[in-house]
Coordinates of all heavy atoms in Angstrom, one line a residue:
Chain C
S164 N -22.1 -4.0 58.0 CA -22.7 -5.0 58.8 C -23.8 -5.7 58.0 O -23.9 -6.9 58.0 CB -23.1 -4.5 60.1 OG -22.1 -3.9 60.8
L165 N -24.7 -4.9 57.5 CA -25.9 -5.4 56.8 C -25.4 -6.3 55.6 O -25.9 -7.4 55.4 CB -26.8 -4.3 56.3 CG -27.6 -3.6 57.4 CD1 -28.7 -2.7 56.8 CD2 -28.2 -4.5 58.4
I166 N -24.5 -5.7 54.8 CA -24.0 -6.5 53.7 C -23.4 -7.8 54.1 O -23.6 -8.9 53.5 CB -22.9 -5.6 52.9 CG1 -23.6 -4.4 52.3 CG2 -22.2 -6.5 51.8 CD1 -22.7 -3.4 51.7
I167 N -22.6 -7.8 55.2 CA -21.9 -9.0 55.8 C -23.0 -10.0 56.1 O -22.8 -11.2 55.8 CB -21.1 -8.6 57.0 CG1 -19.8 -7.9 56.5 CG2 -20.7 -9.9 57.8 CD1 -18.9 -7.4 57.7
M168 N -24.1 -9.6 56.8 CA -25.1 -10.5 57.2 C -25.8 -11.2 56.0 O -26.0 -12.4 56.0 CB -26.1 -9.9 58.2 CG -25.5 -9.8 59.6 SD -26.5 -8.8 60.7 CE -25.3 -8.7 62.0
V169 N -26.2 -10.3 55.1 CA -26.8 -10.9 53.9 C -25.9 -11.8 53.1 O -26.3 -13.0 52.8 CB -27.3 -9.7 53.0 CG1 -27.9 -10.3 51.7 CG2 -28.4 -8.9 53.7
L170 N -24.6 -11.4 52.9 CA -23.7 -12.3 52.3 C -23.5 -13.6 53.0 O -23.4 -14.7 52.4 CB -22.3 -11.6 52.1 CG -22.2 -10.6 50.9 CD1 -20.9 -9.9 51.0 CD2 -22.3 -11.4 49.6
G171 N -23.5 -13.5 54.4 CA -23.3 -14.7 55.2 C -24.5 -15.7 55.0 O -24.3 -16.9 54.8
A172 N -25.7 -15.1 55.0 CA -26.9 -16.0 54.8 C -26.8 -16.6 53.4 O -27.2 -17.8 53.2 CB -28.2 -15.2 54.9
V173 N -26.4 -15.8 52.4 CA -26.4 -16.3 51.0 C -25.4 -17.5 50.9 O -25.6 -18.5 50.3 CB -26.0 -15.2 50.0 CG1 -25.7 -15.7 48.6 CG2 -27.2 -14.2 49.9
M174 N -24.2 -17.3 51.5 CA -23.1 -18.3 51.4 C -23.6 -19.6 52.2 O -23.2 -20.7 51.7 CB -21.8 -17.8 52.0 CG -21.0 -16.9 51.1 SD -20.7 -17.5 49.5 CE -19.2 -18.5 49.9
Y175 N -24.3 -19.4 53.2 CA -24.8 -20.6 54.0 C -25.7 -21.4 53.0 O -25.6 -22.7 53.0 CB -25.6 -20.2 55.2 CG -26.3 -21.3 55.9 CD1 -25.6 -22.3 56.6 CD2 -27.7 -21.4 55.8 CE1 -26.3 -23.3 57.2 CE2 -28.4 -22.4 56.4 CZ -27.7 -23.4 57.1 OH -28.4 -24.4 57.7
V176 N -26.6 -20.7 52.3 CA -27.5 -21.4 51.4 C -26.7 -22.0 50.2 O -27.0 -23.2 49.8 CB -28.6 -20.5 50.9 CG1 -29.4 -21.1 49.8 CG2 -29.4 -20.0 52.0
V177 N -25.7 -21.3 49.7 CA -25.0 -21.7 48.5 C -24.1 -22.9 48.8 O -24.1 -23.9 48.1 CB -24.2 -20.6 47.9 CG1 -23.2 -21.1 46.8 CG2 -25.2 -19.6 47.3
E178 N -23.3 -22.8 49.9 CA -22.2 -23.8 50.2 C -22.8 -24.9 51.1 O -22.5 -26.1 50.9 CB -21.0 -23.1 50.9 CG -20.2 -22.3 49.9 CD -19.3 -23.1 49.0 OE1 -18.8 -24.2 49.5 OE2 -19.1 -22.7 47.8
G179 N -23.5 -24.5 52.1 CA -24.1 -25.5 53.0 C -23.2 -26.1 54.0 O -22.0 -26.0 53.9
P180 N -23.7 -26.8 55.0 CA -22.9 -27.4 56.1 C -21.9 -28.4 55.6 O -20.8 -28.5 56.2 CB -24.0 -28.1 56.9 CG -25.3 -27.5 56.6 CD -25.2 -27.1 55.2
E181 N -22.1 -29.0 54.4 CA -21.1 -30.0 53.9 C -19.8 -29.4 53.5 O -18.8 -30.1 53.5 CB -21.7 -30.9 52.8 CG -22.0 -30.1 51.5 CD -23.4 -29.5 51.5 OE1 -24.0 -29.3 52.6 OE2 -23.9 -29.1 50.5
N182 N -19.7 -28.1 53.3 CA -18.5 -27.4 52.9 C -17.9 -26.5 54.0 O -17.1 -25.7 53.8 CB -18.7 -26.6 51.6 CG -18.9 -27.4 50.4 OD1 -18.4 -28.5 50.3 ND2 -19.7 -27.0 49.5
G183 N -18.4 -26.8 55.2 CA -17.8 -26.0 56.4 C -18.7 -24.9 56.8 O -18.4 -24.3 57.9
F184 N -19.6 -24.4 56.0 CA -20.5 -23.3 56.4 C -21.7 -23.9 57.2 O -22.8 -24.0 56.8 CB -21.0 -22.6 55.2 CG -19.9 -21.9 54.4 CD1 -19.1 -22.6 53.6 CD2 -19.8 -20.5 54.5 CE1 -18.0 -22.0 52.9 CE2 -18.7 -19.9 53.8 CZ -17.9 -20.6 53.0
S185 N -21.4 -24.4 58.4 CA -22.3 -25.2 59.2 C -23.5 -24.4 59.7 O -24.5 -25.1 60.1 CB -21.6 -25.9 60.3 OG -21.0 -25.0 61.2
S186 N -23.4 -23.1 59.9 CA -24.6 -22.4 60.3 C -24.4 -20.9 59.8 O -23.3 -20.5 59.4 CB -24.6 -22.4 61.9 OG -23.5 -21.7 62.4
I187 N -25.4 -20.1 59.9 CA -25.3 -18.7 59.4 C -24.3 -17.9 60.3 O -23.5 -17.2 59.7 CB -26.7 -18.0 59.4 CG1 -27.5 -18.7 58.3 CG2 -26.5 -16.6 59.0 CD1 -28.8 -17.9 58.0
P188 N -24.3 -18.1 61.6 CA -23.3 -17.3 62.4 C -21.9 -17.7 61.9 O -21.0 -16.8 61.8 CB -23.5 -17.8 63.8 CG -25.0 -18.1 63.9 CD -25.3 -18.6 62.5
K189 N -21.6 -19.0 61.6 CA -20.3 -19.4 61.1 C -20.0 -18.8 59.8 O -18.9 -18.4 59.4 CB -20.2 -20.9 61.1 CG -18.8 -21.4 61.0 CD -18.6 -22.7 61.6 CE -17.3 -22.9 62.3 NZ -17.2 -24.1 63.1

Side-chain angles (χ1 to χ4, degrees):
Chain C
S164 305
L165 290 193
I166 293 169
I167 284 171
M168 278 171 194
V169 174
L170 279 171
V173 168
M174 282 305 278
Y175 170 73
V176 172
V177 168
E178 288 282 325
E181 65 274 18
N182 290 328
F184 294 76
S185 58
S186 67
I187 294 190
K189 196 152 220 168

